[in-house]
Amino acid sequence: MSEQDYRPIVFTDIDDTICQNERLVAASAREGLVSISRTMLHATCMTVKQQNLLRWLVQTTELIPVTARSIVDFSDIDIDFGGSRRIVANGAVILGPDGRHDEEWAALMAAEMAAYQDRFEAVLAATSSIGRERGHVLKAYVTSEFGMSISALFRTEDGSTDVLVDLRSGLCDLLPGWHVHLNGNTLAFTPPPVSKRRAVEHLLTKTDGAHMRPVIGMGDSLSDLPFMSGCDFISIPRGSQISSAFAN
Ligand SMILES: [Mg+2]
């Protein structure tokens, strides 16, 4: 193997790790802020520290983004990851450097997710009744790629999270084994086969010399922790959901 092939492998979350919403950037970190939204709908940006972190990672590691973003949302951000492979849609989809689907992974996901596809309708129906009972309007939608439903997401119109906590308890009985994630004003339910950690493990089996190379996991959210803890080292941004959980 050449020296190049011994580079560390870094699996990194995107939002709130190497970029963030412009309105959440502290006044002390605004100098040199760069917008990376192609459509400007979401005003995603990078601080100077995040820009320098990304540049260093691209130059010295094999950098692989791991994100809940859909393929379309991923293409909205203007970040050069160094032409790497990427894991999107919470691990349901793996794309090669040329943007092509990892066929082996796609076939596995299609087979394992088939049994869960008709559950999404029941989830949405149960949600509106729980929202009505609590007097809240819940926004609910299902993410999908290539016609496969992947996650059910919920938000409240008024930004209150209490009803989302109630909804989480109500749906846990209906959806045993599903991944549940509440962060801020978003509640997500995802069937068991979809997993960032499984996708990371799959990519490592297809990576030359992976057993010799340090593997680092970076992320801000508790939902990132399973894939991060499967790596040799982890890296967590200050002020993130994970660091707050550790600090408390
Ligand atoms: Mg994140």
Side-chain angles (χ1 to χ4, degrees):
M1 282 170 64
S2 68
E3 192 175 310
Q4 171 84 353
D5 294 327
Y6 284 112
R7 287 175 304 163
I9 304 163
V10 178
F11 291 98
T12 183
D13 170 56
I14 298 179
D15 294 273
D16 299 322
T17 298
I18 55 169
C19 62
Q20 59 205 96
N21 191 294
E22 189 267 341
R23 68 187 162 78
L24 299 179
V25 179
S28 58
R30 299 190 78 85
E31 187 181 349
L33 210 57
V34 167
S35 169
I36 54 159
S37 288
R38 294 186 201 276
T39 62
M40 294 303 291
L41 284 177
H42 303 296
T44 310
C45 66
M46 295 176 76
T47 64
V48 168
K49 285 192 180 184
Q50 287 169 328
Q51 294 165 48
N52 287 331
L53 174 65
L54 178 74
R55 190 175 303 116
W56 173 61
L57 290 171
V58 168
Q59 287 171 355
T60 57
T61 72
E62 180 177 358
L63 183 61
I64 301 176
V66 182
T67 179
R69 282 179 179 252
S70 65
I71 295 174
V72 169
D73 287 343
F74 183 90
S75 65
D76 183 57
I77 52 168
D78 186 11
I79 296 180
D80 180 3
F81 288 97
S84 63
R85 300 168 287 178
R86 46 204 183 272
I87 295 170
V88 299
N90 268 325
V93 175
I94 298 176
L95 301 174
D98 56 2
R100 282 208 206 143
H101 218 299
D102 180 316
E103 298 285 350
E104 191 186 328
W105 189 249
L108 183 72
M109 282 292 110
E112 293 189 3
M113 287 290 281
Y116 297 93
Q117 294 300 296
D118 62 359
R119 302 295 294 146
F120 285 92
E121 280 301 314
V123 172
L124 296 184
T127 302
S128 40
S129 78
I130 289 174
R132 263 197 310 276
E133 281 169 24
R134 308 289 196 285
H136 285 273
V137 177
L138 288 168
K139 283 197 238 174
Y141 59 99
V142 174
T143 65
S144 64
E145 299 285 0
F146 305 106
M148 178 176 76
S149 296
I150 296 171
S151 292
L153 300 183
F154 309 95
R155 292 196 176 98
T156 46
E157 295 254 329
D158 56 10
S160 69
T161 54
D162 289 357
V163 68
L164 293 179
V165 172
D166 289 347
L167 183 62
R168 181 173 59 183
S169 336
L171 290 183
C172 276
D173 294 337
L174 191 67
L175 303 169
W178 286 43
H179 305 296
V180 187
H181 180 58
L182 177 61
N183 193 2
N185 187 32
T186 302
L187 174 67
F189 276 81
T190 308
V194 173
S195 152
K196 292 175 184 169
R197 177 165 179 153
R198 286 183 76 200
V200 164
E201 289 168 349
H202 173 79
L203 272 193
L204 285 175
T205 64
K206 305 178 95 182
T207 301
D208 289 341
H211 66 293
M212 302 280 289
R213 301 167 60 183
V215 181
I216 302 166
M218 294 177 50
D220 69 291
S221 164
L222 289 171
S223 67
D224 297 318
L225 214 41
F227 93 74
M228 292 164 66
S229 59
C231 300
D232 298 316
F233 301 90
I234 64 174
S235 179
I236 304 162
R238 176 194 287 179
S240 61
Q241 189 186 32
I242 298 175
S243 60
S244 301
F246 284 159
N248 296 329

